[in-house]
Amino acid sequence: MMEKLLFVGLPEHKRTASFEFFTQLLENTYQIEYTKITIDKNWTNTTYAYNRIIFWQRLPPPEHLRAVSPTSVVYVPMYDEARNYNRQVIRTWAPFKIISFCRSIHEDLTAWGFNSKYVQYFPKPMVEAPLPLAVHKAFFWKREGSYINEAIPDAMIPLLLHDSGMKLHYHSETKPVCEKEFEDMVASRSSWLRSKEEMISLLRECSLYIAPRESEGIGMSFLDAMANGLAVAGADNPTMNEYISDGQNGYLFDLMKPLPINLENLQQVREKSLESCQAGYEKWEKEKWSLIDFIEEPHPSSLLVQVPRGFEYRSLKQKSMSFRAKRLVKRLAGK
């Protein structure tokens, strides 16, 4: 009989199937039940029924965790949110095993003494070769900024594509009309899509995907682009710079001083992007089972963790002004 596992995640991630690749792996070993992170204070009364509990991206308040055995808990933080946490919050992770899909956060956590396991995820490529296109377009998904992650502003797009002759597909679920300053670049638009298949169909009409945020937890949207033969241009931050080598299988740009992207070798970069996705997928298929081993192995009864005061994740090279302001407030508070 399979052990029971409680998977606690955010409702929007279940809706978008962001963690489906992981739960499909877990379903080979565990009987899974799902609940959302906004659990009430009485939820711990039922946790005794589960052999394992996995928290995806966010932990509940400490008072809701006191009745849970730490040895049964695995936490999966996401870089784009975790980069905003202060040292007091991060130190509360010490009792738990941690699965990191971002190499940068894994390296920091292990250096500080945490029990972290890292595996890089890649999706299965959906095309055998980049599709030939009569007109090259860049796909830009207008995202709204949030308290955990800043979106790439519209005004940056003309700078990145300056003098490239590249047309633009502009996708926005909340703002279907793009900025006037680059309206002449727009060849097509889309808003709310009913299925992932519709999104993939639009992606395949483009040759370049502009990653829409300044950092990512995993980066499912740009990974889908790579799997469909697009080159990806992203900020030189995790996780984009963990998947992309600038000018080889994609493009990295400086958030604070964006320069035009050299797209002369775009076709070769598209080919390398798809090749790296194929190689990454094959590696993921071999290594993903080590995550089950990690979940099952005993967690050290006590760990000495030392999160430096006033730390910065060493991998976050570029920070928006709003992010700098938030970090300054935390530092002034001695966190």
Side-chain angles (χ1 to χ4, degrees), residues 2-52:
M2 285 185 170
E3 291 188 341
K4 295 182 69 175
L5 183 148
L6 181 65
F7 190 95
V8 188
L10 299 171
E12 57 265 33
H13 289 158
K14 186 170 178 61
R15 184 176 65 252
T16 59
S18 299
F19 50 60
E20 189 175 74
F21 76 95
F22 186 48
T23 54
Q24 286 178 345
L25 172 65
L26 296 173
E27 286 169 355
N28 289 283
T29 305
Y30 304 104
Q31 178 185 340
I32 302 180
E33 293 185 23
Y34 298 88
T35 188
K36 57 186 179 181
I37 201 73
T38 51
I39 48 186
D40 62 41
K41 63 182 179 181
N42 297 316
W43 82 284
T44 51
N45 295 333
T46 63
T47 57
Y48 68 88
Y50 302 98
N51 304 95
R52 299 283 184 271

Coordinates of all heavy atoms in Angstrom, one line a residue, residues 2-52:
M2 N 0.5 2.2 -0.8 CA 1.3 3.4 -1.0 C 1.2 4.3 0.3 O 0.1 4.4 0.9 CB 0.9 4.3 -2.2 CG 1.3 3.7 -3.5 SD 0.8 4.9 -4.8 CE 1.7 4.2 -6.2
E3 N 2.3 5.0 0.7 CA 2.2 5.9 1.7 C 1.4 7.1 1.3 O 1.4 7.5 0.1 CB 3.7 6.4 2.1 CG 4.5 5.3 2.8 CD 5.8 5.8 3.4 OE1 6.2 6.9 2.9 OE2 6.3 5.2 4.3
K4 N 0.8 7.8 2.3 CA 0.0 9.0 1.9 C 0.9 10.3 2.1 O 1.7 10.4 3.0 CB -1.2 9.1 2.9 CG -2.2 7.9 2.7 CD -3.4 8.1 3.6 CE -4.2 9.3 3.2 NZ -5.5 9.4 4.0
L5 N 0.7 11.1 1.1 CA 1.5 12.4 1.0 C 0.5 13.5 0.9 O -0.4 13.5 0.0 CB 2.5 12.3 -0.1 CG 3.4 13.5 -0.3 CD1 4.8 13.1 -0.8 CD2 2.8 14.6 -1.2
L6 N 0.7 14.6 1.7 CA -0.1 15.8 1.5 C 0.7 16.8 0.8 O 1.8 17.2 1.2 CB -0.5 16.3 2.9 CG -1.4 17.6 2.9 CD1 -2.7 17.3 2.3 CD2 -1.5 18.1 4.3
F7 N 0.2 17.3 -0.3 CA 0.9 18.3 -1.1 C 0.2 19.7 -0.9 O -1.0 19.8 -1.2 CB 0.9 17.9 -2.6 CG 1.8 18.8 -3.4 CD1 3.1 18.4 -3.7 CD2 1.4 20.0 -3.9 CE1 4.0 19.1 -4.5 CE2 2.2 20.8 -4.7 CZ 3.5 20.3 -5.0
V8 N 1.0 20.6 -0.3 CA 0.4 21.9 0.0 C 1.0 23.0 -0.9 O 2.2 23.2 -0.9 CB 0.7 22.3 1.5 CG1 -0.1 23.6 1.8 CG2 0.3 21.1 2.4
G9 N 0.1 23.6 -1.8 CA 0.6 24.5 -2.7 C -0.4 25.7 -2.9 O -1.4 25.8 -2.2
L10 N 0.0 26.6 -3.8 CA -0.8 27.8 -4.1 C -1.9 27.4 -5.1 O -1.6 26.7 -6.1 CB 0.1 28.9 -4.6 CG 1.1 29.4 -3.6 CD1 2.1 30.4 -4.3 CD2 0.5 30.1 -2.4
P11 N -3.1 27.9 -4.9 CA -4.2 27.6 -5.9 C -3.8 27.9 -7.3 O -4.2 27.2 -8.2 CB -5.4 28.4 -5.4 CG -5.1 28.7 -3.9 CD -3.6 28.8 -3.8
E12 N -3.1 29.1 -7.6 CA -2.8 29.4 -8.9 C -1.9 28.5 -9.6 O -1.9 28.3 -10.8 CB -2.3 30.9 -9.0 CG -1.0 31.1 -8.1 CD -1.4 31.7 -6.8 OE1 -2.4 31.3 -6.2 OE2 -0.6 32.5 -6.3
H13 N -1.0 27.8 -8.8 CA -0.1 26.9 -9.4 C -0.8 25.6 -9.8 O -0.4 24.9 -10.8 CB 1.1 26.6 -8.4 CG 2.0 27.7 -8.3 ND1 2.8 27.9 -7.2 CD2 2.3 28.8 -9.1 CE1 3.5 29.0 -7.3 NE2 3.2 29.5 -8.4
K14 N -1.8 25.2 -9.0 CA -2.6 24.0 -9.4 C -3.4 24.3 -10.7 O -3.5 23.5 -11.6 CB -3.5 23.6 -8.3 CG -4.2 22.3 -8.6 CD -5.0 21.8 -7.4 CE -5.7 20.5 -7.7 NZ -4.9 19.4 -8.1
R15 N -3.9 25.6 -10.8 CA -4.7 25.9 -11.9 C -3.8 26.0 -13.2 O -4.3 25.6 -14.3 CB -5.3 27.3 -11.7 CG -6.2 27.8 -12.8 CD -6.9 29.1 -12.5 NE -5.9 30.2 -12.4 CZ -5.6 30.8 -11.3 NH1 -6.1 30.4 -10.1 NH2 -4.7 31.8 -11.3
T16 N -2.6 26.4 -13.1 CA -1.7 26.5 -14.3 C -0.8 25.3 -14.5 O 0.0 25.2 -15.4 CB -0.8 27.8 -14.1 OG1 0.0 27.6 -12.9 CG2 -1.6 29.0 -14.0
A17 N -1.0 24.3 -13.6 CA -0.2 23.0 -13.6 C 1.3 23.3 -13.5 O 2.1 22.5 -14.1 CB -0.5 22.3 -14.9
S18 N 1.7 24.3 -12.8 CA 3.1 24.6 -12.7 C 3.9 23.5 -12.0 O 5.1 23.4 -12.2 CB 3.3 25.9 -11.9 OG 2.7 27.0 -12.6
F19 N 3.3 22.8 -11.0 CA 4.0 21.8 -10.3 C 3.6 20.4 -10.8 O 4.0 19.4 -10.2 CB 3.8 21.9 -8.8 CG 2.4 22.0 -8.3 CD1 1.5 21.1 -8.6 CD2 2.0 23.1 -7.6 CE1 0.2 21.2 -8.1 CE2 0.7 23.3 -7.1 CZ -0.2 22.3 -7.4
E20 N 2.9 20.3 -11.9 CA 2.5 19.0 -12.4 C 3.6 18.0 -12.7 O 3.5 16.8 -12.4 CB 1.6 19.2 -13.6 CG 0.9 17.9 -14.1 CD 0.0 18.2 -15.3 OE1 0.5 18.4 -16.4 OE2 -1.2 18.2 -15.0
F21 N 4.7 18.5 -13.2 CA 5.9 17.6 -13.5 C 6.4 17.0 -12.2 O 6.9 15.8 -12.3 CB 7.0 18.5 -14.1 CG 7.8 19.3 -13.2 CD1 9.0 18.9 -12.6 CD2 7.3 20.6 -12.8 CE1 9.7 19.6 -11.7 CE2 8.0 21.4 -11.9 CZ 9.2 20.9 -11.4
F22 N 6.3 17.7 -11.1 CA 6.8 17.1 -9.8 C 5.8 16.2 -9.2 O 6.1 15.1 -8.7 CB 7.1 18.3 -8.9 CG 7.7 17.9 -7.6 CD1 8.8 17.1 -7.6 CD2 7.2 18.4 -6.4 CE1 9.4 16.7 -6.4 CE2 7.8 18.0 -5.2 CZ 8.9 17.2 -5.2
T23 N 4.5 16.5 -9.2 CA 3.5 15.7 -8.6 C 3.3 14.4 -9.4 O 3.0 13.3 -8.9 CB 2.1 16.4 -8.5 OG1 1.7 16.9 -9.8 CG2 2.2 17.5 -7.5
Q24 N 3.5 14.4 -10.8 CA 3.5 13.2 -11.5 C 4.6 12.3 -11.1 O 4.4 11.0 -11.1 CB 3.6 13.6 -13.0 CG 2.4 14.2 -13.6 CD 2.5 14.5 -15.1 OE1 3.7 14.6 -15.6 NE2 1.4 14.8 -15.8
L25 N 5.8 12.8 -10.8 CA 6.8 12.0 -10.2 C 6.4 11.4 -8.9 O 6.6 10.2 -8.6 CB 8.1 12.8 -10.1 CG 9.3 12.1 -9.4 CD1 9.8 11.0 -10.2 CD2 10.4 13.2 -9.2
L26 N 5.9 12.2 -8.0 CA 5.5 11.7 -6.7 C 4.4 10.6 -6.7 O 4.4 9.7 -5.9 CB 5.0 12.9 -5.9 CG 6.0 14.0 -5.5 CD1 5.3 15.2 -4.9 CD2 7.1 13.5 -4.7
E27 N 3.5 10.7 -7.7 CA 2.4 9.8 -7.8 C 2.9 8.3 -8.1 O 2.1 7.4 -7.9 CB 1.4 10.2 -8.9 CG 0.6 11.4 -8.5 CD -0.2 12.0 -9.6 OE1 0.0 11.6 -10.8 OE2 -1.0 13.0 -9.4
N28 N 4.1 8.2 -8.5 CA 4.7 6.8 -8.7 C 5.0 6.1 -7.4 O 5.1 4.9 -7.3 CB 6.0 6.9 -9.5 CG 5.7 7.3 -11.0 OD1 5.3 6.4 -11.8 ND2 6.0 8.5 -11.3
T29 N 5.1 6.9 -6.3 CA 5.5 6.4 -5.0 C 4.4 6.6 -3.9 O 4.3 5.8 -3.0 CB 6.8 7.0 -4.6 OG1 7.8 6.8 -5.6 CG2 7.3 6.4 -3.3
Y30 N 3.7 7.7 -4.1 CA 2.8 8.1 -3.0 C 1.3 8.2 -3.4 O 1.1 8.5 -4.6 CB 3.2 9.4 -2.4 CG 4.7 9.5 -1.9 CD1 5.7 10.1 -2.6 CD2 5.0 8.9 -0.7 CE1 7.0 10.1 -2.2 CE2 6.3 8.9 -0.2 CZ 7.3 9.5 -1.0 OH 8.6 9.5 -0.5
Q31 N 0.5 8.1 -2.5 CA -0.9 8.5 -2.7 C -1.1 9.9 -2.3 O -0.9 10.2 -1.1 CB -1.9 7.6 -1.8 CG -3.3 7.9 -1.9 CD -4.2 7.1 -1.0 OE1 -3.8 6.0 -0.5 NE2 -5.4 7.6 -0.7
I32 N -1.3 10.8 -3.2 CA -1.3 12.2 -3.0 C -2.6 12.8 -2.7 O -3.6 12.5 -3.5 CB -0.6 13.0 -4.1 CG1 0.8 12.4 -4.4 CG2 -0.5 14.5 -3.9 CD1 1.6 13.1 -5.5
E33 N -2.7 13.7 -1.8 CA -3.9 14.6 -1.6 C -3.3 16.0 -1.6 O -2.2 16.3 -1.2 CB -4.6 14.3 -0.2 CG -5.2 12.9 -0.2 CD -6.0 12.7 1.1 OE1 -6.4 13.7 1.7 OE2 -6.3 11.6 1.5
Y34 N -4.2 16.9 -2.1 CA -3.8 18.3 -2.3 C -4.6 19.2 -1.4 O -5.8 19.0 -1.1 CB -4.0 18.8 -3.8 CG -3.2 18.0 -4.8 CD1 -3.7 16.8 -5.3 CD2 -2.0 18.4 -5.2 CE1 -3.0 16.1 -6.3 CE2 -1.3 17.7 -6.2 CZ -1.8 16.6 -6.7 OH -1.1 15.9 -7.6
T35 N -3.9 20.3 -0.9 CA -4.6 21.3 -0.2 C -3.9 22.6 -0.6 O -2.7 22.6 -0.9 CB -4.7 21.1 1.3 OG1 -5.5 22.1 1.9 CG2 -3.3 21.2 1.9
K36 N -4.6 23.7 -0.4 CA -4.0 25.0 -0.7 C -3.3 25.6 0.5 O -3.6 25.2 1.6 CB -5.1 26.0 -1.2 CG -6.2 26.2 -0.3 CD -7.3 27.1 -1.0 CE -8.5 27.3 -0.1 NZ -9.5 28.1 -0.7
I37 N -2.4 26.5 0.3 CA -1.6 27.0 1.4 C -2.3 27.8 2.4 O -1.9 28.0 3.5 CB -0.4 27.8 0.8 CG1 0.8 28.0 1.7 CG2 -0.9 29.2 0.4 CD1 1.5 26.7 1.9
T38 N -3.5 28.3 2.0 CA -4.3 29.2 2.9 C -5.1 28.2 3.8 O -6.3 28.2 3.8 CB -5.2 30.1 2.1 OG1 -6.0 29.3 1.2 CG2 -4.5 31.2 1.4
I39 N -4.4 27.4 4.6 CA -5.0 26.5 5.5 C -5.5 27.1 6.8 O -4.9 28.1 7.2 CB -4.1 25.3 5.8 CG1 -2.7 25.9 6.2 CG2 -3.9 24.4 4.6 CD1 -1.6 24.9 6.4
D40 N -6.5 26.6 7.4 CA -6.9 27.2 8.7 C -6.1 26.6 9.8 O -5.3 25.7 9.7 CB -8.4 27.0 8.9 CG -8.8 25.5 9.0 OD1 -8.1 24.7 9.6 OD2 -9.8 25.1 8.4
K41 N -6.4 27.2 11.0 CA -5.5 26.8 12.2 C -5.8 25.4 12.7 O -5.0 24.9 13.5 CB -5.8 27.8 13.3 CG -7.2 27.8 13.8 CD -7.4 28.9 14.9 CE -8.9 28.9 15.4 NZ -9.1 29.9 16.4
N42 N -6.8 24.8 12.2 CA -7.1 23.4 12.7 C -6.6 22.3 11.8 O -6.8 21.2 12.0 CB -8.7 23.3 12.8 CG -9.2 24.2 13.9 OD1 -8.7 24.4 14.9 ND2 -10.4 24.8 13.5
W43 N -5.9 22.7 10.7 CA -5.5 21.7 9.7 C -4.5 20.7 10.3 O -4.5 19.6 9.9 CB -4.8 22.4 8.5 CG -3.4 22.8 8.7 CD1 -2.9 23.8 9.5 CD2 -2.3 22.1 8.2 NE1 -1.5 23.8 9.5 CE2 -1.1 22.8 8.7 CE3 -2.1 21.0 7.4 CZ2 0.2 22.4 8.4 CZ3 -0.8 20.6 7.1 CH2 0.3 21.3 7.5
T44 N -3.7 21.1 11.3 CA -2.8 20.2 11.9 C -3.4 19.0 12.6 O -2.8 18.0 12.8 CB -1.8 20.9 12.9 OG1 -2.6 21.6 13.8 CG2 -0.9 21.9 12.2
N45 N -4.7 19.1 12.9 CA -5.4 17.9 13.5 C -5.5 16.7 12.6 O -5.7 15.6 13.0 CB -6.8 18.4 13.9 CG -6.8 19.4 15.0 OD1 -5.8 19.5 15.8 ND2 -7.8 20.2 15.1
T46 N -5.3 17.0 11.3 CA -5.4 15.9 10.3 C -4.1 15.4 9.8 O -4.0 14.4 9.0 CB -6.3 16.3 9.1 OG1 -5.7 17.4 8.5 CG2 -7.7 16.7 9.6
T47 N -3.0 16.1 10.1 CA -1.7 15.8 9.5 C -1.1 14.4 9.9 O -0.3 13.9 9.2 CB -0.7 16.9 9.8 OG1 -0.5 17.0 11.3 CG2 -1.1 18.2 9.2
Y48 N -1.6 13.9 11.1 CA -1.1 12.6 11.5 C -1.4 11.5 10.5 O -0.8 10.4 10.5 CB -1.8 12.2 12.9 CG -3.2 11.9 12.8 CD1 -3.7 10.7 12.5 CD2 -4.2 13.0 12.9 CE1 -5.1 10.4 12.4 CE2 -5.5 12.7 12.8 CZ -6.0 11.4 12.6 OH -7.3 11.2 12.5
A49 N -2.4 11.7 9.6 CA -2.8 10.7 8.6 C -1.8 10.6 7.5 O -2.0 9.7 6.6 CB -4.2 11.0 8.1
Y50 N -0.8 11.5 7.4 CA 0.1 11.5 6.2 C 1.5 11.2 6.7 O 2.0 11.6 7.7 CB 0.1 12.9 5.6 CG -1.3 13.4 5.1 CD1 -2.1 14.2 5.9 CD2 -1.8 12.9 3.9 CE1 -3.4 14.6 5.5 CE2 -3.1 13.3 3.5 CZ -3.9 14.1 4.3 OH -5.1 14.5 3.9
N51 N 2.1 10.4 5.8 CA 3.5 10.0 6.1 C 4.5 11.1 5.7 O 5.6 11.2 6.2 CB 3.9 8.7 5.3 CG 2.9 7.6 5.6 OD1 2.0 7.4 4.8 ND2 3.2 6.9 6.6
R52 N 4.1 11.9 4.7 CA 5.0 13.0 4.2 C 4.1 14.2 3.9 O 2.9 14.1 3.5 CB 5.7 12.6 2.9 CG 6.6 11.4 3.0 CD 7.9 11.8 3.7 NE 8.9 10.7 3.7 CZ 8.9 9.8 4.7 NH1 8.1 9.8 5.7 NH2 9.8 8.8 4.7

